[in-house]
Each structure stands twice: as C-alpha cells, then as structure tokens.
Amino acid sequence: MRPDLEREYVEYVTARLPRLHRTAYLLCADAFQADDIVQATLTALYLNWSRAVGADNLDGYVHRILVRRYLDERRRRWSRVLLGDRVPELTAAPDDDVEARDELVTALRALPKGQRAVVVLRYFGDLSVEATAAALGCSTGNVKSQCARGLAALREALGPRHPVGAANTTKGR
Amino acid sequence: MDEEDQLRDRLAAVDVPPSRIEVAALLGAGRRAAFRRRSLRASGGVALATAALLAVPPVLTGGTGRPADRSALGPTATTPAATTPARATPPATPATKAGPTAGCRPAELPVPPGTRNVEPAAVDPTGRYVVGNGTVGQDFRPVLWTDGKPRALPVPGTSVQATAVNAGGVVVGLVQNGRQEYVARYADGVWTRLRTPPGKWHPYPTPKINRAGDVVINVEPSGNSGGEGSIALLWKAGSTTAVRLPLPAGANVHAITDDGTLVGGTYVDGVGTAAYAWNQRGVGRKLPVPAGQTGLAYAARGDWVTGGAWPSESVARWNLRTGQVIVGPRWTHGTGSQPYGPGTAVNASGWVVALGTVLRAGKPVELTLPDGRTGRASDVSDDGLVVGSAFSDPGSRHLGPRVWRC
C-alpha cells in the first residue's frame, strides 16, 4: 500500500478500534473471539483500503465486514480451535467474571444471533435501519421487526426492577 | 428516557474486557496478507516454496534440552529419520501425477434448487461423495453430492450441518434444535441422533468418520467453553451409544483413520500444548515439532497427519509409518516469506489443505479459475479431487461450490 494510503488506514483504525472492539464483544460476548473478529475485519479492510476509503459510508462498509466475520465465526465451530491455537502464548482470560457483571450481556446472549446483530448495530453502532439492513443483507422490514422483538426480549434486563448485576444467580454458575 | 435511549446507554456502559489488538500488529497482519496475495498473483498461483524436512529422532530432540519431548516420544516413536540430516529442499511425496506447475481443472458443483451460499465441507477419500452446507439466515442446510449430483438432505432441526462423509456415503454432522445440539449420522435416507453420555454436552468442533463408519468428536459440559471438562467420544459403526475414549485429561480428538488411530492434541486451559496420535486404548505418541514450537494435529488419512506448528503458524505434516516430520513450506517472495497456516485436511498421498490452499509435495497447486476469481479448498480426496468454493477477488464474495481435478 502507498505510504499516504497506509497512513490514512492507520488513522482510521486508531480512531475506530475501541468502538469496533466493543461492537464485536457485544455481538459475541467473548473477549478472544471479539479480538479475532476485529483483526480479521481490519485485515480485510487493509486489503481493500484503496477502494474502501472512497466508499460513501466507510463505517457502514466496515460494520458489514465485521458482521459477516461474526456470523462466519459462529458458523465454523472449528475456527475456535484454530484461532485459539494461534495464540498459545496467551492464557485464557476469565471472561465469565466479566460477563457475569452485566445482565444486559447475558440477555443479549440469549437473543437469536440475527436479532442480537440487529440490536447491537442499531443501538450501539448507531446504524440506520437501512444501513443495518445492508450490513446484514436483509430487508428494512426485517430489521424493524427484529428490533421490536429484540427490545421486547431485553425489556426485562433493562427494567428498573432488575438493576445491573442482580440477575447473576440466573447464570447457574 | 425511552426504551431505545435506555438501551443505547446501557450498551455503551457494558463492561467490555480489554482488547489485545494493537494497531501496529494490525498493520503487520495487513501487510502480510497483502504480501501473500501479491505472491499468489506474481507466481500465477504457484509460489516458490521451500520446506524444511526435519529430522526428529529422540537423539536430536533430547539434544535440544527438552527432555519432556524425549520421554514423550518414548518407545513408540518412529526413528527412521534419525539418520536423515535436516535439509532445505522440498521433500518428495508419492503420487505426484502432474508437474508442480500444472493447474487443476475446475468444474461447478450444481446445488439443489432453493439452496443458498452452499460451500463444500468435505469429500470422501474416493472422491465419489461430497458434503457441504448452504445457509438460511444463521442456520445450515446440508447437501450431499453423489457422483456430482446434489441432494438436499433432510433438516430435522433448526440447523443441520454436514461435516464429513466416508466412502460408503455415510454422512456425519451437527444438528441444532432450539437449545439442543447433537451429533447425527445420515445413512439410508435418515438422520440418526448419536447419543452422548448422561448430562448436557456441547459437541465440538465437528464429527469425523472413517471408512468403517466409526465416528469421533469431543464434548464439553454445556455452558463451558474452551474445552473445559471435555471428553472424547467414539461411536462404533452403526452404534448410537457413545464410548468414552480413554485419552488423557484435556485431550481432544480431531480425526480417526481407517485403522482406528485417533489424532488430535492435548490442551491446557483451552490452549493447545502438543499434537498426538493415540490408539483406542489411549496409548499415545507425541507428534514432534521443532524445539520452541507447539504442534497440533487436525486431520489424518492413511499414514499422514496434518496440523500446524505455533508460533510460526506453519503447516505441519507427520507420517505415522516413517516418522517423517515436515514443518513448512512457507511462501517465499523476494527476501521475505510467510507461513501458510495450519493444515486442516490431508489425503493418502500427503497432499494438504492449509487454510484454503492445496499443497502437493510441499508446493501449492493452482486452483484454476477465470480472472477475478480465486479458489479456496476445503478438502481433497485420495485421487486428487479438490472440493471448495470460488470467491471474487478482490471482494471475497462467495460465488459457489467448485471441484478441481488435480
């Protein structure tokens, strides 16, 4: 890549990395997998940077890759083995403690994968209904209905009767 | 505050564990990927490759100050390589039918009407049967090709994923139905659930089957991840009752050969520590890799086992009969070189599929496609039939299933 293009890439990635990582974590609720998804996404972005940087909606484009990667990771269970093995120097982090702190993450995990992606992209990624539909490859009507269902399912976790952390016992650990 | 805003606030406030990704490392990964792509193009799909044929007798590994290796090799280790000095030329492997630069002839695999995004997963050793999966939303829909003719298999669940097929056309896969997740065998037109021991188990990564019809997989207690508390299971041909394999704690099985040899690795806290081959009594031999590396085995066929070595991310091949160990090759281009990544499939001649690339005699074979398309392999049969998919390049858009006759 040309040095000036590469600099633009570094600037973009530096600015977006924390948010992309958070998005990936909300999708998969696993710290390692989130890193893998983000790395795969941004490597793919590097390869197509010269074209991608000219896109009308670069963030939308990146989210689209991110969601695809997330869905791919979920599909290919063996990837967990492969990806885990790639970093033998890292020991597994005690993710469970982190997850247990937030009832919302637990509730998100219980959503169907597509619904979860819709909720995360709409309400964390701040993507429009249209951009969410484009990222997920579905209709805007589908996004709206999934949003409504997702919100309904999360209502309990959001409700005032269930403050953060109060539902840890439901995890059965 | 309305519900939507409340959700926005809460999502932004979730306590997310720290990322280990650094921009510098990302840049490195991007450059490597770009380099590898350039290498592929510059060489017309056949890159220059070098392989290190490693001699790994106990005398050598013992000499590196890793006595653990020596004891693990023990009396079951094969030693013919002891007299073979390390050399830096590609090793010869049998059954190279065509020259190293000959491309493989592609053909489209037809898909059943109404199926989408169908990707082949595996081919049986004879090349007659191929299994793959289409998708509907997040769910799999299994497909079986017999002599190139596709058939959509029944879907007794929300998602059914075909993962392997043997020379008798018996398919194994994973069925998900609501919260249930189990291994199933497809034969004579029906899927049969293969039962696990009492308790709730999560099977992973995917079941494998040998010629006789023996099926292996690992299961961990539902709710665990990373293999915590896992056990390895075997269903003998035709049986639906699992036998727990007497492997060491933390061992995972990833393949079973026709003579019943189990191939896989040992894991500690979800991290791989060594590649192993075991007999069904659980007597194992460590499959060695060079000092400083960690090996893991993912696939086996005949005498050959493939997998990877870390941290070099190299493809690894072991010959169970001769004891030969080959780590590499790497892409070389100019003054640099890059690893292919771990091997995930192997045939009886030792051809390996490493993250979509087929390596024959240590050299990548060209999966011929028209310009603007690139082929990625999933599996290869003993007679050189490669199954995989075509992707747009650039863009990596899936263009459909393909086979290549090599």
Side-chain angles (χ1 to χ4, degrees):
Chain A
M1 198 193 288
R2 292 204 321 260
D4 53 328
L5 276 174
E6 194 171 79
R7 200 186 59 240
E8 284 178 29
Y9 170 83
V10 169
E11 283 168 5
Y12 176 84
V13 165
T14 305
R16 298 302 197 287
L17 194 51
R19 207 165 168 83
L20 286 172
H21 178 257
R22 176 172 280 269
T23 305
Y25 179 78
L26 291 173
L27 286 172
C28 67
D30 180 285
F32 281 97
Q33 205 190 344
D35 274 351
D36 288 329
I37 292 169
V38 171
Q39 166 137 4
T41 300
L42 294 178
T43 303
L45 181 65
Y46 182 96
L47 291 174
N48 288 308
W49 179 249
S50 58
R51 287 188 313 131
V53 75
D56 288 344
N57 181 354
L58 183 54
D59 285 342
Y61 174 81
V62 173
H63 275 102
R64 192 181 165 121
I65 308 178
L66 186 85
V67 169
R68 291 253 167 95
R69 294 286 171 179
Y70 158 65
L71 298 176
D72 281 354
E73 298 303 324
R74 299 295 302 193
R75 281 178 189 154
R76 300 194 185 107
R77 292 192 176 278
W78 58 265
S79 69
R80 188 180 73 185
V81 177
L82 289 179
L83 293 167
D85 293 344
R86 282 175 171 223
V87 284
E89 70 273 17
L90 293 174
T91 53
D95 272 357
D96 292 342
D97 295 344
V98 178
E99 287 157 24
R101 280 187 226 143
D102 202 307
E103 188 191 354
L104 181 60
V105 173
T106 308
L108 269 177
R109 281 185 92 160
L111 294 185
K113 291 158 206 159
Q115 216 171 77
R116 191 188 318 163
V118 166
V119 166
V120 170
L121 292 186
R122 280 284 287 132
Y123 298 113
F124 179 71
D126 273 337
L127 265 61
S128 67
V129 170
E130 291 73 20
T132 304
L136 290 168
C138 63
S139 69
T140 53
N142 202 323
V143 168
K144 286 176 189 164
S145 67
Q146 295 292 339
C147 261
R149 273 186 240 164
L151 270 172
L154 293 173
R155 194 162 288 144
E156 195 178 353
L158 286 170
R161 284 168 297 139
H162 296 269
V164 176
N168 287 354
T169 50
T170 61
K171 287 202 68 167
R173 288 190 175 275
Chain B
M1 192 185 327
D2 75 8
E3 215 165 56
E4 294 193 324
D5 286 339
Q6 201 185 354
L7 180 54
R8 285 193 180 94
D9 286 357
R10 287 286 301 276
L11 286 173
V14 165
D15 195 0
V16 172
S19 170
R20 289 178 180 77
I21 296 182
E22 290 172 3
V23 176
L26 274 176
L27 201 53
R31 284 175 180 163
R32 280 200 300 278
F35 166 87
R36 190 169 148 172
R37 181 190 271 188
R38 276 200 309 275
S39 306
L40 266 165
R41 286 182 182 151
S43 58
V46 183
L48 298 169
T50 58
L53 173 60
L54 292 154
V56 283
V59 288
L60 288 189
T61 50
T64 62
R66 298 185 68 202
D69 276 2
R70 184 164 48 177
S71 61
L73 281 162
T76 59
T78 52
T79 55
T83 54
T84 311
R87 56 192 169 99
T89 50
T93 57
T96 302
K97 287 192 280 191
T101 55
C104 306
R105 215 171 58 248
E108 285 191 23
L109 268 181
V111 299
T115 53
R116 295 182 58 224
N117 305 322
V118 180
E119 291 191 52
V123 60
D124 89 280
T126 70
R128 183 171 187 213
Y129 299 102
V130 176
V131 286
N133 299 283
T135 57
V136 173
Q138 308 322 308
D139 300 320
F140 287 114
R141 294 290 180 267
V143 176
L144 169 66
W145 289 267
T146 305
D147 299 322
K149 292 191 181 62
R151 183 147 55 107
L153 296 185
V155 183
T158 44
S159 173
V160 180
Q161 177 189 13
T163 63
V165 60
N166 73 4
V170 180
V171 179
V172 286
L174 292 171
V175 175
Q176 229 174 341
N177 202 4
R179 285 177 174 272
Q180 277 194 333
E181 199 176 15
Y182 57 87
V183 176
R185 175 175 57 217
Y186 175 84
D188 303 322
V190 288
W191 286 101
T192 305
R193 178 173 182 164
L194 302 185
R195 295 199 307 273
T196 44
K200 289 187 75 176
W201 299 92
H202 162 66
Y204 72 95
T206 58
K208 298 292 174 63
I209 186 169
N210 69 4
R211 183 179 182 86
D214 298 338
V215 177
V216 291
I217 188 115
N218 312 289
V219 295
E220 62 189 358
S222 286
N224 286 10
S225 64
E228 190 188 348
S230 71
I231 56 173
L233 299 179
L234 164 74
W235 290 272
K236 294 297 285 181
S239 169
T240 57
T241 304
V243 177
R244 180 177 174 172
L245 289 165
L247 303 186
N252 279 187
V253 60
H254 292 309
I256 179 167
T257 65
D258 290 349
D259 70 4
T261 301
L262 307 161
V263 165
T266 49
Y267 293 76
V268 175
D269 294 334
V271 175
T273 52
Y276 267 88
W278 297 277
N279 66 21
Q280 296 200 359
R281 295 190 313 281
V283 178
R285 67 196 226 205
K286 187 172 176 177
L287 303 175
V289 287
Q293 299 279 315
T294 298
L296 284 167
Y298 293 131
R301 171 74 191 142
D303 295 330
W304 287 103
V305 174
T306 192
W310 287 265
S312 67
E313 299 184 0
S314 304
V315 55
R317 268 191 298 166
W318 296 271
N319 188 300
L320 295 175
R321 187 173 48 82
T322 66
Q324 191 182 26
V325 183
I326 305 159
V327 175
R330 296 168 67 86
W331 289 108
T332 58
H333 187 257
T335 53
S337 72
Q338 301 296 328
Y340 284 101
T344 52
V346 63
N347 75 2
S349 302
W351 302 17
V352 165
V353 177
L355 298 184
T357 301
V358 179
L359 299 165
R360 176 174 56 192
K363 292 191 174 64
V365 302
E366 184 186 352
L367 302 177
T368 311
L369 284 175
D371 276 354
R373 295 173 181 204
T374 180
R376 225 173 283 162
S378 304
D379 200 2
V380 57
S381 72
D382 289 349
D383 62 350
L385 186 75
V386 172
V387 300
S389 290
F391 292 85
S392 64
D393 182 29
S396 286
R397 197 161 48 82
H398 183 246
L399 301 173
R402 299 285 187 278
V403 293
W404 289 266
R405 177 59 69 182
C406 295

